[in-house]
Short mmCIF file of all heavy atoms in Angstrom, two decimals:
data_model
loop_
_atom_site.label_atom_id
_atom_site.label_comp_id
_atom_site.label_asym_id
_atom_site.label_seq_id
_atom_site.Cartn_x
_atom_site.Cartn_y
_atom_site.Cartn_z
N VAL L 88 82.69 112.09 64.91
CA VAL L 88 81.49 111.67 65.42
C VAL L 88 81.63 110.61 66.39
O VAL L 88 82.35 109.58 66.26
CB VAL L 88 80.59 111.24 64.30
CG1 VAL L 88 79.20 110.81 64.80
CG2 VAL L 88 80.44 112.38 63.27
N ILE L 89 80.92 110.66 67.53
CA ILE L 89 80.91 109.71 68.61
C ILE L 89 79.45 109.16 68.74
O ILE L 89 78.49 109.88 68.52
CB ILE L 89 81.46 110.18 69.97
CG1 ILE L 89 80.59 111.20 70.49
CG2 ILE L 89 82.95 110.55 69.64
CD1 ILE L 89 80.99 111.67 71.90
N VAL L 90 79.34 107.99 69.33
CA VAL L 90 78.08 107.39 69.61
C VAL L 90 78.00 107.10 71.11
O VAL L 90 78.92 106.54 71.63
CB VAL L 90 77.90 106.05 68.83
CG1 VAL L 90 76.50 105.39 69.09
CG2 VAL L 90 77.99 106.22 67.30
N VAL L 91 76.94 107.60 71.77
CA VAL L 91 76.83 107.49 73.15
C VAL L 91 75.63 106.51 73.47
O VAL L 91 74.47 106.80 73.09
CB VAL L 91 76.52 108.79 73.83
CG1 VAL L 91 76.50 108.57 75.45
CG2 VAL L 91 77.68 109.83 73.54
N ASP L 92 75.92 105.33 73.93
CA ASP L 92 74.84 104.36 74.41
C ASP L 92 74.44 104.55 75.78
O ASP L 92 75.21 105.10 76.62
CB ASP L 92 75.38 102.93 74.08
CG ASP L 92 75.35 102.66 72.64
OD1 ASP L 92 74.29 102.77 71.96
OD2 ASP L 92 76.38 102.25 71.99
N PHE L 135 70.28 105.85 72.47
CA PHE L 135 71.64 106.20 72.01
C PHE L 135 71.57 107.50 71.24
O PHE L 135 70.51 107.80 70.67
CB PHE L 135 72.22 105.08 71.10
CG PHE L 135 71.37 104.71 69.86
CD1 PHE L 135 71.70 105.39 68.67
CD2 PHE L 135 70.38 103.82 69.98
CE1 PHE L 135 70.88 105.14 67.62
CE2 PHE L 135 69.70 103.48 68.81
CZ PHE L 135 69.88 104.17 67.66
N ILE L 136 72.59 108.21 71.11
CA ILE L 136 72.68 109.49 70.43
C ILE L 136 73.99 109.58 69.72
O ILE L 136 74.93 108.83 69.89
CB ILE L 136 72.55 110.74 71.35
CG1 ILE L 136 73.73 110.75 72.34
CG2 ILE L 136 71.29 110.67 72.21
CD1 ILE L 136 73.83 111.92 73.28
N PHE L 137 74.03 110.57 68.73
CA PHE L 137 75.25 110.90 67.92
C PHE L 137 75.57 112.34 68.14
O PHE L 137 74.71 113.27 68.24
CB PHE L 137 74.92 110.69 66.44
CG PHE L 137 74.52 109.41 66.01
CD1 PHE L 137 73.18 108.92 66.02
CD2 PHE L 137 75.42 108.41 65.71
CE1 PHE L 137 72.75 107.61 65.73
CE2 PHE L 137 75.04 107.10 65.31
CZ PHE L 137 73.76 106.73 65.33
N ALA L 165 78.20 104.32 77.48
CA ALA L 165 79.20 103.58 76.72
C ALA L 165 79.51 104.40 75.50
O ALA L 165 78.68 104.59 74.58
CB ALA L 165 78.71 102.20 76.35
N VAL L 166 80.74 104.98 75.34
CA VAL L 166 81.07 106.02 74.30
C VAL L 166 82.03 105.34 73.38
O VAL L 166 83.08 104.77 73.84
CB VAL L 166 81.63 107.30 74.92
CG1 VAL L 166 81.81 108.31 73.91
CG2 VAL L 166 80.70 107.80 76.03
N ASN L 167 81.73 105.45 72.02
CA ASN L 167 82.58 104.80 71.01
C ASN L 167 82.74 105.80 69.85
O ASN L 167 81.84 106.64 69.62
CB ASN L 167 82.06 103.45 70.55
CG ASN L 167 82.15 102.50 71.61
OD1 ASN L 167 83.09 101.79 71.99
ND2 ASN L 167 80.89 102.17 72.26
N HIS L 168 83.72 105.67 68.98
CA HIS L 168 83.79 106.34 67.78
C HIS L 168 82.80 105.74 66.73
O HIS L 168 82.56 104.55 66.78
CB HIS L 168 85.29 106.22 67.20
CG HIS L 168 86.23 107.21 67.72
ND1 HIS L 168 87.18 106.80 68.64
CD2 HIS L 168 86.37 108.41 67.53
CE1 HIS L 168 87.91 107.80 68.98
NE2 HIS L 168 87.51 108.88 68.30
N PHE L 169 82.27 106.55 65.86
CA PHE L 169 81.41 106.13 64.93
C PHE L 169 82.09 105.21 63.88
O PHE L 169 81.53 104.21 63.35
CB PHE L 169 80.70 107.42 64.13
CG PHE L 169 79.81 107.03 63.05
CD1 PHE L 169 78.50 106.72 63.41
CD2 PHE L 169 80.20 106.76 61.74
CE1 PHE L 169 77.54 106.27 62.43
CE2 PHE L 169 79.20 106.45 60.76
CZ PHE L 169 77.92 106.15 61.13
N GLU L 170 83.44 105.45 63.67
CA GLU L 170 84.11 104.53 62.76
C GLU L 170 84.24 103.10 63.27
O GLU L 170 84.56 102.20 62.49
CB GLU L 170 85.53 105.18 62.49
CG GLU L 170 85.44 106.56 61.69
CD GLU L 170 86.87 107.15 61.49
OE1 GLU L 170 87.75 106.69 62.17
OE2 GLU L 170 86.96 108.03 60.61
N ASP L 171 84.19 102.98 64.61
CA ASP L 171 84.37 101.54 65.07
C ASP L 171 83.25 100.74 64.69
O ASP L 171 83.44 99.52 64.50
CB ASP L 171 84.39 101.65 66.68
CG ASP L 171 85.68 102.40 67.16
OD1 ASP L 171 86.66 102.48 66.42
OD2 ASP L 171 85.63 102.83 68.37
N PHE L 172 81.99 101.32 64.38
CA PHE L 172 80.93 100.44 63.93
C PHE L 172 81.16 99.92 62.54
O PHE L 172 80.79 98.76 62.25
CB PHE L 172 79.63 101.33 63.98
CG PHE L 172 79.15 101.63 65.44
CD1 PHE L 172 79.66 102.73 66.13
CD2 PHE L 172 78.34 100.70 66.11
CE1 PHE L 172 79.23 102.96 67.39
CE2 PHE L 172 78.02 100.97 67.41
CZ PHE L 172 78.38 102.01 68.02
N ASP L 173 81.77 100.78 61.60
CA ASP L 173 82.12 100.36 60.30
C ASP L 173 83.10 99.23 60.46
O ASP L 173 83.03 98.15 59.56
CB ASP L 173 82.68 101.50 59.46
CG ASP L 173 81.66 102.61 59.24
OD1 ASP L 173 80.44 102.17 59.31
OD2 ASP L 173 82.05 103.70 59.03
N ARG L 174 84.09 99.31 61.24
CA ARG L 174 85.06 98.28 61.38
C ARG L 174 84.45 96.93 61.93
O ARG L 174 84.78 95.87 61.42
CB ARG L 174 86.20 98.68 62.42
CG ARG L 174 87.28 97.67 62.61
CD ARG L 174 88.37 98.20 63.51
NE ARG L 174 87.74 98.82 64.71
CZ ARG L 174 87.44 98.02 65.81
NH1 ARG L 174 87.72 96.61 65.72
NH2 ARG L 174 87.06 98.49 66.90
N LEU L 175 83.53 96.97 62.77
CA LEU L 175 82.90 95.83 63.36
C LEU L 175 81.93 95.25 62.33
O LEU L 175 81.76 94.09 62.25
CB LEU L 175 82.19 96.18 64.65
CG LEU L 175 83.01 96.67 65.80
CD1 LEU L 175 82.19 97.11 67.08
CD2 LEU L 175 83.97 95.58 66.28
N ALA L 176 81.36 96.10 61.50
CA ALA L 176 80.40 95.59 60.44
C ALA L 176 81.10 94.90 59.34
O ALA L 176 80.52 94.06 58.64
CB ALA L 176 79.59 96.68 60.00
N SER L 177 82.39 95.20 59.17
CA SER L 177 83.08 94.60 58.10
C SER L 177 83.85 93.24 58.48
O SER L 177 84.50 92.73 57.73
CB SER L 177 84.17 95.61 57.62
OG SER L 177 85.18 95.77 58.60
N LEU L 178 83.56 92.82 59.77
CA LEU L 178 84.19 91.57 60.10
C LEU L 178 83.59 90.41 59.33
O LEU L 178 82.40 90.37 59.01
CB LEU L 178 83.92 91.41 61.68
CG LEU L 178 84.63 92.33 62.59
CD1 LEU L 178 84.25 92.06 64.06
CD2 LEU L 178 86.11 92.28 62.46
#
Side-chain angles (χ1 to χ4, degrees):
V88 180
I89 65 173
V90 183
V91 184
D92 283 304
F135 60 91
I136 63 173
F137 299 88
V166 186
N167 296 279
H168 278 104
F169 183 82
E170 294 180 340
D171 293 340
F172 291 89
D173 294 336
R174 178 177 54 83
L175 295 174
S177 62
L178 295 176

